[in-house]
Amino acid sequence: MFPANLTDYDGEVQDCFMTPPLMCTDMLAVVRTSEKEFFENKSRVTVAVNVGNPNYDMFLKDHFPDWRSLYFMDTKECLQAVADGKADCLLISNYRFNNIAKLCDKYGLTTWSTGVEMDYCFAVERQDTVLYSILSKVTAIVPSSTVNAALARYYTEDARTGIASSTTQVIVNIVICVLVVTALVGLIVMMRNTWSGKTGAEKRQRVPVEEDFALFDDLPI
């Protein structure tokens, strides 16, 4: 499993070995902009945490044991909780901040440096000693500068992909609307042409037949 951040004790409880860290990341606290200057002096801090993410639980136990965790389903809910005052902050990696920067601007949030780094390791089943040995050598061979550059590039592309996906969805919706409107206009024109050659008496006496309803078959719905 990667990334994992467990102590030796917690790894033993989970029946896994932790490799030496492949990378580390600066941890930021996302706080309300109006409270950034006073955040460091808070005597009681409530942290919004994603449910089921043990990395942040371990990080808080190791570095901020007095902080209280409040759990939410995803990062967006955590940010909303901080904005609403239900929580005082959200912890996030400096690599991932670009992905939430726009939401932070929307909710009036900013970052406060915790001054602490989080190590990211591979977690391997204790009986799989060969894999553990291989991954441990990998972490020693790959330069940290290479890993950091790759992560920075990955998260930058991830943020751009999110924007591109939203733009693409808007374009698709517009195209669908145009197609539907065009089809409806075409249907009206065809029906007018079909009926325009009939006399008034024929129009009043004619009963619709199956071919009339075939005009609806080509609608892109």
Side-chain angles (χ1 to χ4, degrees):
M1 179 180 69
F2 180 85
N5 177 44
L6 301 177
T7 63
D8 292 337
Y9 171 77
D10 291 314
E12 186 172 351
V13 171
Q14 297 293 333
D15 197 27
C16 63
F17 281 128
M18 305 300 296
T19 68
L22 177 65
M23 56 159 288
C24 61
T25 176
D26 293 326
M27 296 303 295
L28 305 175
V30 178
V31 301
R32 290 180 289 277
T33 303
S34 59
E35 298 182 6
K36 181 179 180 179
E37 295 181 6
F38 316 105
F39 182 77
E40 187 175 3
N41 298 322
K42 274 183 172 289
S43 58
R44 178 183 175 87
V45 176
T46 300
V47 188
V49 180
N50 288 1
V51 172
N53 191 331
N55 290 332
Y56 290 100
D57 287 329
M58 296 300 105
F59 180 82
L60 288 170
K61 283 183 180 179
D62 291 340
H63 301 287
F64 302 100
D66 296 332
W67 289 10
R68 183 175 69 97
S69 298
L70 192 62
Y71 295 94
F72 298 90
M73 293 305 298
D74 53 36
T75 303
K76 187 175 181 180
E77 286 191 10
C78 289
L79 290 172
Q80 185 67 62
V82 176
D84 294 342
K86 297 177 182 177
D88 298 306
C89 71
L90 160 71
L91 290 175
I92 194 162
S93 161
N94 65 311
Y95 291 111
R96 294 191 59 224
F97 178 73
N98 283 342
N99 291 349
I100 65 168
K102 287 194 172 182
L103 278 176
C104 288
D105 291 339
K106 177 182 176 181
Y107 294 146
L109 305 177
T110 188
T111 58
W112 178 82
S113 176
T114 64
V116 183
E117 294 181 338
M118 179 190 288
D119 291 332
Y120 280 150
C121 313
F122 291 100
V124 184
E125 292 182 348
R126 296 180 73 85
Q127 63 269 24
D128 203 342
T129 54
V130 175
L131 179 59
Y132 175 82
S133 177
I134 293 171
L135 292 176
S136 296
K137 290 178 180 178
V138 167
T139 60
I141 292 172
V142 179
S144 58
S145 58
T146 302
V147 177
N148 292 334
L151 283 168
R153 182 171 62 253
Y154 169 78
Y155 281 115
T156 300
E157 291 176 353
D158 189 39
R160 289 175 180 171
T161 301
I163 296 172
S165 298
S166 300
T167 304
T168 301
Q169 186 60 50
V170 171
I171 294 173
V172 170
N173 291 339
I174 293 173
V175 170
I176 291 174
C177 290
V178 170
L179 287 174
V180 171
V181 171
T182 303
L184 290 174
V185 171
L187 175 63
I188 293 172
V189 171
M190 286 189 295
M191 291 184 69
R192 289 185 63 183
N193 291 338
T194 300
W195 288 85
S196 62
K198 304 295 183 180
T199 64
E202 287 177 320
K203 290 178 183 178
R204 289 192 298 272
Q205 297 174 5
R206 186 178 183 280
V207 177
V209 294
E210 184 177 351
E211 286 75 9
D212 293 332
F213 297 98
L215 296 170
F216 291 91
D217 294 342
D218 295 329
L219 284 178
I221 299 176

